[in-house]
């Protein structure tokens, strides 16, 4: 075997091992700060879009982000909203693909 082939084989082995490990190891992923939410300003609560039809709201609504809702110290409107924003466990590979935008995240509504 020549040196070039050995280097190629070692490099390929390391790459395959890294990919397999990234598919097996699980991490906890939380919603990003830019996650869209609906702010109900009268009651100072936020609502996630999947839970909007179940919510009892006034006309004082605005579109915002999770970061802004935290800054304003708003609370979740319901258990549905809390549950929709809970962290999930997924493989490192899937988390990385979501981070760079190649896969849709759980909070991309």
């Amino acid at each position: 075997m020549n040196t070039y082939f050995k280097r190629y084989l070692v490099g390929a082995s390391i790459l395959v091992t890294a990919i397999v490990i990234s598919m097996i190891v699980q991490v906890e992923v939380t919603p990003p700060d830019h996650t869209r939410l609906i702010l109900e300003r009268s009651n100072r609560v936020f609502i996630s879009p999947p839970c909007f039809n179940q919510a009892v709201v006034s006309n004082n609504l605005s579109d915002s982000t999770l970061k802004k809702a935290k800054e304003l110290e708003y609370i979740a409107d319901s258990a549905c909203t809390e549950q929709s924003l809970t962290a999930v466990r997924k493989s490192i590979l899937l988390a990385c693909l979501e981070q760079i935008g190649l896969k849709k995240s759980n909070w991309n509504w």
Side-chain angles (χ1 to χ4, degrees):
M1 279 205 233
N2 66 23
T3 314
Y4 178 74
F5 182 73
K6 286 181 185 178
R7 287 183 184 171
Y8 176 76
L9 190 60
V10 168
S13 298
I14 291 171
L15 180 63
V16 168
T17 302
I19 291 171
V20 168
I21 289 172
S22 72
M23 290 179 355
I24 294 172
V25 176
Q26 300 277 310
V27 293
E28 190 170 275
V29 180
T30 58
D33 284 341
H34 65 272
T35 301
R36 279 190 54 236
L37 293 175
I38 300 158
L39 299 182
E40 207 282 77
R41 295 192 179 271
S42 298
N43 296 321
R44 298 186 52 84
V45 296
F46 61 85
I47 307 157
S48 65
C51 302
F52 184 74
N53 289 336
Q54 301 169 12
V56 178
V57 295
S58 70
N59 287 337
N60 193 3
L61 301 173
S62 65
D63 189 34
S64 191
T65 62
L66 181 58
K67 181 179 181 179
K68 186 69 173 177
K70 288 178 181 177
E71 287 173 2
L72 295 172
E73 298 180 355
Y74 279 32
I75 58 171
D77 172 67
S78 64
C80 175
T81 295
E82 287 177 4
Q83 189 175 18
S84 69
L85 295 171
T86 56
V88 293
R89 294 195 57 78
K90 53 181 66 176
S91 72
I92 292 174
L93 180 63
L94 289 178
C96 289
L97 291 175
E98 285 179 9
Q99 195 71 21
I100 60 175
L102 294 177
K103 183 183 179 310
K104 233 178 173 180
S105 80
N106 293 25
W107 304 283
N108 191 12
W109 41 63

